[in-house]
Amino acid sequence: MLYSPVVEAAPDERPRPKMSGPALMVIFGASGDLAQRKLLPALYNLVQKGLLPADFTILGYSRTPYSDDEFRELARHGVEKHADVEFQESAWAAFAQGIFYVAGGYDDPAGFARLQARITELEGFRPTGKNRLFYLSTPPSVYEAVATQLGQADLVRPAGESCWTRLVVEKPFGRDLASAHALNDHLLRIFDEDQIYRIDHYLGKETVQNILVFRFANGIFEPVWNRNYVEHVQITVSESIGVEQRGGYYDKSGALRDMVQNHMLQLVSLIGMEPPVAFDAKAVRDQKVNLLRSIRPLAPQEVGNYLVRAQYAPGLLNGDALPAYTDEEGVAADSTTETYVAWKLEIDNWRWNGVPFYLRTGKALPYKVSEIAIYFRRAPHMLFSASNHDAEHISRNVLLIRIQPDEGISLKISAKQPGPAVKLQPVNMAFHYGSSFGSTPPDAYQRLLLDVVLGDGTLFTRRDEVEVAWDRVSRVLDGWQMQEAEARAQGAPLRLPSYPAGSWGPDAADHLLAQEDQIWRRDL
Ligand code: NDP
Ligand code: BG6
């Protein structure tokens, strides 16, 4: 390993983590998977780490009837199983004292009247500072209803008062541009933009945040971060699971909506954006939006030239047999939902013109990996090619930003193999989070929840950001719809290409790069 923290700050010189003030957090959909697996464990972790006050107040709301104690018991299971700090009875007992529950429907004025009464009661004896955080952890079909009821129950205080009210909205935020726009319009009738925190959990990952630090805290990379030096970029987010129990949700979504519109376009924007004037929510998001607006919008008939989609066929995944996607529970037998998508994305601006960003994501691929590979142009004149067949190939520098697992950054360079002949060999300069910082990064929800309480929106998506991302994705969806309509008109309903589960995707994705004399990274 060539990099490690060069100067260890003495403990008392380290920047102190920001401790948040008091608040009450209402979790809608509190009986569900996200609350149990992510939100409650993250809150417990934050309290134990001293980043949230020890008397932080949590109020669960969903339709399932629980008493406070029953809900605490449910929460305990989630925390015991998923928190990353060690579970201790005494710490749990103190944390659980701050957990409460109200049962009610999402479009039910009587339920919201009970909620309102409980909030008022809790604000009377818990130290909440009258700050309210509402978290939409329900299916998206009820987001609008919950917001409406919050407004009608008079639970939303205008921004700017001495105490705050904030709303966190989970993904998916809409299913196309029109629905995202409508949801934004609706929420903004009740909340101000500054009160709305649209979650993309990729932005809470340490390694994703580190992209900005890497680019803008190191003087040597920015000068080569452009079309003069970068040949192309590959972004891979692969998963080694099928759709598991989520077939019903996934079949209405697909890889483009589930992964590309949000997580992958966020990665593109962080890699491609111009330097912000400051590291604050407005400046960072302004530049991200500019980058997203530069993504070339596709006409429906062009979509086939830039994107490949496919579904997994039966295969072996980690030694286990996986059925075809269309045989999974909750998936239509004639489904045309993609479990794999590859996109040759062009960015029409001065920095990136002519530099393709190749994106690929899929389920049932060989490994779970999220990474960004920046391929630099070859040396302009290769001195060593005569004596070395591979020189052209291996002389290309690749900067690899590994989001997960084995989080870190490496730079592939060519080195001379020891010996009398000049023989080149690729070697890596590498930084690993684990060995440099002695720990693995915390779960993204911890950082994101803390930022909401602190009122820092930098790692959340703004209205214009989410809409421009949906605009580019909706154009692709229009193209796919056109393909399906054409196939139907010809009497041959569209079947997507397939790839065996456990392989790296369809051949067509390889052809997409082969047209440009490129190949996907294989040694992930
Ligand atoms: P769940 O399906 O577990 O739903 C949460 C709760 O909402 C349920 O316990 C149920 O509570 C209620 N609910 C379920 N279906 C309906 C329905 N059709 N109408 C009204 N209420 C319903 O969702 P998750 O907890 O998995 O996810 C919550 C949100 O977070 C979703 O928007 C999801 O897309 C998003 N998300 C989830 C992730 C995860 O890992 N789970 C990851 C990223 C995003 P009750 O019946 O008691 O009211
Ligand atoms: C979610 C998607 O947003 O991200 C899931 O809905 C996907 O389908 C998950 O599995 C991947 O997240 P991560 O953090 O495991 O890469």
Side-chain angles (χ1 to χ4, degrees), residues 29 31-35 37 62-64 106 136-143 170-172 445:
S31 58
D33 175 73
L34 185 75
R37 226 164 31 83
S62 44
R63 297 171 304 183
T64 310
Y106 303 108
L136 297 182
S137 179
T138 60
S141 53
V142 301
Y143 289 171
E170 261 299 339
K171 67 155 288 216
Y445 276 90

Side-chain angles (χ1 to χ4, degrees), residues 164-414:
W164 50 258
T165 304
R166 296 181 186 139
L167 178 76
V168 182
V169 190
E170 261 299 339
K171 67 155 288 216
F173 195 97
R175 50 176 289 105
D176 52 23
L177 176 59
S179 56
H181 189 81
L183 178 57
N184 272 324
D185 277 353
H186 186 86
L187 297 180
L188 285 160
R189 282 197 277 274
I190 301 154
F191 293 86
D192 289 339
E193 175 63 28
D194 286 353
Q195 295 178 295
I196 301 175
Y197 291 72
R198 299 172 190 82
I199 282 241
D200 184 315
H201 78 276
Y202 261 59
L203 293 177
K205 292 181 191 278
E206 282 288 333
T207 34
V208 172
Q209 293 162 44
N210 196 39
I211 295 171
L212 292 186
V213 175
F214 179 81
R215 286 191 57 194
F216 303 126
N218 296 293
I220 62 171
F221 298 110
E222 204 46 28
V224 297
W225 210 259
N226 56 51
R227 64 191 300 280
N228 297 326
Y229 294 92
V230 177
E231 183 186 66
H232 74 274
V233 177
Q234 292 189 17
I235 303 184
T236 301
V237 177
S238 66
E239 292 190 273
S240 58
I241 49 169
V243 290
E244 300 192 305
Q245 290 79 37
R246 298 171 72 218
Y249 152 76
Y250 195 87
D251 206 36
K252 294 191 189 66
S253 170
L256 187 72
R257 288 187 173 99
D258 189 46
M259 298 298 286
V260 177
Q261 183 276 334
N262 36 62
H263 311 322
M264 295 193 81
L265 290 187
Q266 285 297 324
L267 297 179
V268 170
S269 68
L270 292 170
I271 291 293
M273 67 191 261
E274 295 301 315
V277 293
F279 189 57
D280 62 35
K282 180 173 186 323
V284 170
R285 295 191 293 189
D286 283 350
Q287 293 300 14
K288 284 168 67 190
V289 171
N290 284 344
L291 189 284
L292 291 169
R293 289 178 57 205
S294 309
I295 293 176
R296 184 176 302 168
L298 297 178
Q301 59 280 10
E302 288 180 307
V303 164
N305 301 333
Y306 289 89
L307 282 102
V308 167
R309 57 179 165 152
Q311 282 174 343
Y312 61 81
L316 275 184
L317 208 51
N318 302 320
D320 295 329
L322 196 77
Y325 171 66
T326 46
D327 290 333
E328 296 273 18
E329 201 184 321
V331 174
D334 59 352
S335 169
T336 53
T337 300
E338 75 291 353
T339 62
Y340 176 99
V341 64
W343 186 348
K344 178 187 163 195
L345 184 142
E346 300 278 1
I347 299 177
D348 292 329
N349 67 15
W350 275 54
R351 185 186 283 265
W352 295 117
N353 187 41
V355 180
F357 279 49
Y358 297 109
L359 275 46
R360 64 175 161 167
T361 184
K363 301 272 185 201
L365 300 181
Y367 318 115
K368 180 173 175 64
V369 173
S370 300
E371 62 159 50
I372 300 156
I374 318 275
Y375 283 73
F376 289 92
R377 296 191 187 284
R378 293 180 172 85
H381 172 59
M382 183 40 70
L383 290 174
F384 311 107
S385 55
S387 59
N388 192 314
H389 289 315
D390 276 346
E392 275 290 298
H393 174 62
I394 65 181
S395 66
R396 195 156 55 158
N397 301 121
V398 181
L399 179 80
L400 188 66
I401 301 177
R402 184 81 161 205
I403 309 293
Q404 63 187 23
D406 189 19
E407 292 82 356
I409 297 177
S410 64
L411 178 64
K412 192 182 97 177
I413 55 173
S414 296

